Amino acid sequence: MIERFSPFSLPRRRLLIATSALAIAALVVTAEFNPALSADSPHNGGDITFLIDSLGDTWIPNNSAISSFQGHIWGHVTDKLLYVDADGKVSPWIAERWEQNDKATEFTLHLKSGVTFSDGTPLDASAVVANLDIWYAGRKSEGINPIGLFPKTYDHAEAVDAATVKVFFKAPTLGFIPTLGYHGSILISPKTLAQPAAQQADLSKTAGSGPYVVDSWKEGDFVKLVKRKDYNWGPAAVGHTGPAYLDTITYKLVSEPSLRVAAVQSGQADVAYNASPQELESLKAEGFTTATPRYLGFVNGWAVNTKLAPYDDVKVRQALQAGINRQEIIDTVYTSDWKLATSFIQSNVPGATDQSALLAYNPEKAEKLLDEAGWTKGADGIRTKNGQPLVLTLHSNPYLATSKSVDELIAQQLGKIGWKVAIRSYDVVTYGQKVKYGSPAVPAYEVTRSFIDAGTVASILTNANNGENWFALDESDKTLNELRDKIASAGSIESRKPLLDELQKYILDQGYFIPRTQIVQRIYVQSPKLKGEVYNGVAYASYYTATKSE
């Protein structure tokens, strides 16, 4: 039975913790517990409650699989063809082995036998083809999106036999294999994929092949998962392939960070998501487990809309690049667990290169560039040109708990140079509706985005092959387009490396992307009774291997 949480307010955490267990219990599940399974054998049985700040606005698999909230659930009810660890290492999962031709245009996947979806459908070659097709194309007329970072060069896939899939691309696609471990690339039963969008949005009707299935759920409240007892095909890389150890995992929506943390402190919940970075040291000192895994992907920063004045001027963009004190962001908002951005790609991504020199804080350079661009500082400290103030509107990203605090600090930094900065904050649903790449109202779109292979990045930065056109350049930048095409057509990792280095230098020098920090988007505070979780290449905590002591 899950009780709906009734909000209440208290002035200080110590009062909250002292509140009666009954009040805190409104946050969590009262789950049945089998002492025979857990008292003497902690590797079997047990229930955990994970407190989270959002569960998103749709459960259509293609539309929700890359969400930083819903990805937690998908990671337990679905599998992937390949496993990618926190260092970007690719290893077998549902695909036991694979080959590619010399041009990286054809790939052959060999599948494990005996794998089934929870609706009884075999996870065979035809099921994989159905998933590949919808990842690439979606069904846009129904509101089912393609997976954003799935290779745009995909042509088609064929089921050679029940255990063999051959995949064809229109051009060399080195990023295909790593992308099969991307968190959007979740395997869903063909029966589910055949359903219209409205039925796909019903989580209880979605069948995956993962170690857990959905027991019950309520929109905007909770999702309860129960383990699948016949599961026997986990990724060998995590050291376990059979059924999960924990009986249930319940994700419960609690919007207030202090309440989530307090419930873990009081023993009423097991995991709190998105705690404040500044709390982590004290929580460690109390004996709680904290984790700040970096994922493989883009750093936290802004994709700049070059169609909007004054950001159509390279000197203004370069001034923005030089005017941000990134070390102050870490020193003020974060802790030593966070790292300086050295590119627009996280430094743990294979292919990332160190471009720190282009990201050095240099307010004098920023002032000079703005002077050269014709922006004059007035008596109030705000720069103007042709009677118009130098304005930057920031939309704090609700997927990153610290986003608004970083925005406020950067507003102070840029204010000293002559910018007038406005900050707007929306909830997850409204943000998704109003804040988009290239929108006339959004000069700088805040990126918190993962990917698995750096070679897939160039294709989404422009509008080629249905790319996302992050900087609203269309096809106007010939240098960027040439780099994109050379990276896409590279036949080997070695030949691609210098091209990726050149791409990173160019984008940062042009001020198309303004890094803030390397991103730790997912912050976990966990009971010391819970152990054995694993963090994958996109920094999700998997409790498939976790155990709980009583």
Side-chain angles (χ1 to χ4, degrees):
M1 176 66 184
I2 296 184
E3 301 176 33
R4 180 173 290 277
F5 169 60
S6 299
F8 59 93
S9 60
L10 290 170
R12 289 186 297 275
R13 160 99 25 93
R14 62 184 178 82
L15 292 181
L16 176 61
I17 297 171
T19 305
S20 71
L22 181 61
I24 295 291
L27 305 178
V28 300
V29 178
T30 304
E32 292 184 5
F33 181 69
N34 186 341
L37 286 177
S38 63
D40 298 316
S41 51
H43 284 280
N44 292 292
D47 310 283
I48 65 168
T49 300
F50 184 117
L51 303 184
I52 195 166
D53 39 337
S54 175
L55 286 172
D57 62 342
T58 180
W59 286 103
I60 297 172
N62 267 37
N63 299 6
S64 60
I66 64 171
S67 164
S68 69
F69 300 112
Q70 291 151 306
H72 293 278
I73 286 85
W74 290 125
H76 289 90
V77 301
T78 66
D79 296 318
K80 300 179 182 67
L81 286 162
L82 299 173
Y83 184 78
V84 179
D85 69 14
D87 297 318
K89 182 180 178 182
V90 178
S91 60
W93 193 349
I94 300 303
E96 292 186 307
R97 56 189 174 88
W98 55 90
E99 301 99 34
Q100 68 183 59
N101 67 357
D102 292 340
K103 296 181 180 179
T105 57
E106 296 179 10
F107 298 79
T108 303
L109 307 175
H110 302 275
L111 310 179
K112 282 182 182 177
S113 60
V115 180
T116 59
F117 294 101
S118 59
D119 62 5
T121 304
L123 202 175
D124 57 10
S126 63
V128 170
V129 170
N131 276 271
L132 291 169
D133 286 346
I134 201 166
W135 295 344
Y136 169 68
R139 294 205 299 269
K140 293 182 181 179
S141 63
E142 295 181 46
I144 299 173
N145 300 329
I147 297 299
L149 286 179
F150 190 76
K152 306 297 188 294
T153 51
Y154 178 77
D155 187 270
H156 72 286
E158 297 175 357
V160 177
D161 56 42
T164 311
V165 180
K166 196 160 188 178
V167 189
F168 300 86
F169 292 86
K170 301 168 189 173
T173 309
L174 288 170
F176 172 61
I177 290 297
T179 301
L180 296 178
Y182 179 59
H183 65 116
S185 304
I186 59 172
L187 294 165
I188 299 291
S189 169
K191 291 181 181 178
T192 298
L193 297 181
Q195 293 176 343
Q199 291 184 40
Q200 288 194 30
D202 183 347
L203 188 58
S204 66
K205 296 179 180 178
T206 297
S209 61
Y212 287 86
V213 296
V214 176
D215 175 78
S216 55
W217 74 290
K218 186 174 183 180
E219 191 73 57
D221 191 0
F222 72 94
V223 177
K224 182 179 180 181
L225 310 179
V226 296
K227 78 174 176 181
R228 185 176 169 182
K229 295 180 180 178
D230 64 344
Y231 185 83
N232 194 32
W233 43 84
V238 302
H240 178 56
T241 58
Y245 299 126
L246 296 169
D247 289 327
T248 70
I249 306 171
T250 299
Y251 291 88
K252 172 69 177 171
L253 184 65
V254 176
S255 59
E256 175 54 48
S258 62
L259 294 182
R260 295 195 299 272
V261 172
V264 174
Q265 288 178 303
S266 65
Q268 297 298 316
D270 302 281
V271 186
Y273 189 57
N274 275 350
S276 166
Q278 302 302 327
E279 295 180 291
L280 298 183
E281 287 303 318
S282 62
L283 288 165
K284 287 179 190 176
E286 292 178 39
F288 294 94
T289 303
T290 64
T292 54
R294 284 185 304 154
Y295 62 39
L296 303 166
F298 296 98
V299 301
N300 175 234
W302 300 322
V304 177
N305 187 346
T306 62
K307 281 188 176 175
L308 281 183
Y311 304 99
D312 53 350
D313 186 333
V314 64
K315 289 188 176 181
V316 174
R317 298 195 303 269
Q318 289 172 334
L320 193 60
Q321 194 76 283
I324 295 175
N325 187 338
R326 295 167 175 88
Q327 185 63 56
E328 187 179 28
I329 295 173
I330 289 177
D331 294 342
T332 305
V333 178
Y334 294 118
T335 70
S336 58
D337 291 325
W338 274 253
K339 297 180 183 296
L340 283 170
T342 55
S343 178
F344 69 92
I345 299 173
Q346 301 266 78
S347 64
N348 58 333
V349 173
T353 53
D354 190 343
Q355 309 293 336
S356 299
L358 293 171
L359 303 178
Y361 177 50
N362 191 336
E364 293 80 12
K365 176 183 176 181
E367 298 256 17
K368 184 173 183 292
L369 285 163
L370 291 173
D371 289 341
E372 292 173 357
W375 291 91
T376 305
K377 189 176 283 189
D380 59 356
I382 302 298
R383 290 179 180 267
T384 59
K385 182 178 180 179
N386 299 327
Q388 297 298 316
L390 181 60
V391 174
L392 177 64
T393 301
L394 302 178
H395 298 83
S396 300
N397 192 326
Y399 290 99
L400 186 64
T402 52
S403 179
K404 187 176 180 182
S405 297
V406 174
D407 284 343
E408 290 169 348
L409 180 57
I410 290 177
Q412 295 174 21
Q413 295 173 355
L414 296 178
K416 296 174 184 177
I417 299 169
W419 258 280
K420 181 179 181 181
V421 181
I423 300 172
R424 295 178 182 170
S425 299
Y426 299 120
D427 60 26
V428 169
V429 175
T430 308
Y431 183 85
Q433 294 168 344
K434 293 190 174 185
V435 185
K436 304 178 187 300
Y437 295 114
S439 166
V442 182
Y445 181 96
E446 186 185 334
V447 174
T448 52
R449 180 80 170 271
S450 62
F451 60 82
I452 294 297
D453 182 78
T456 63
V457 170
S459 67
I460 69 167
L461 300 181
T462 71
N463 64 352
N465 297 316
N466 296 313
E468 297 179 11
N469 201 22
W470 279 20
F471 315 123
L473 289 164
D474 299 323
E475 291 292 298
S476 64
D477 189 322
K478 292 182 180 179
T479 301
L480 180 57
N481 295 344
E482 287 175 3
L483 284 169
R484 172 200 68 204
D485 295 340
K486 287 178 180 177
I487 289 168
S489 62
S492 70
I493 298 295
E494 288 305 313
S495 65
R496 197 177 70 178
K497 280 183 179 179
L499 297 169
L500 285 171
D501 178 61
E502 191 176 348
L503 175 74
Q504 292 166 74
K505 286 178 181 174
Y506 185 73
I507 284 177
L508 295 173
D509 182 58
Q510 291 295 305
Y512 291 151
F513 194 106
I514 311 296
R516 307 194 321 173
T517 67
Q518 292 203 48
I519 188 170
V520 173
Q521 185 175 350
R522 315 190 214 288
I523 303 172
Y524 302 84
V525 176
Q526 185 172 293
S527 165
K529 295 180 179 180
L530 183 61
K531 298 183 185 300
E533 74 282 358
V534 175
Y535 300 92
N536 64 13
V538 284
Y540 282 117
S542 170
Y543 297 98
Y544 164 58
T545 56
T547 62
K548 182 180 179 182
S549 59
E550 292 300 319

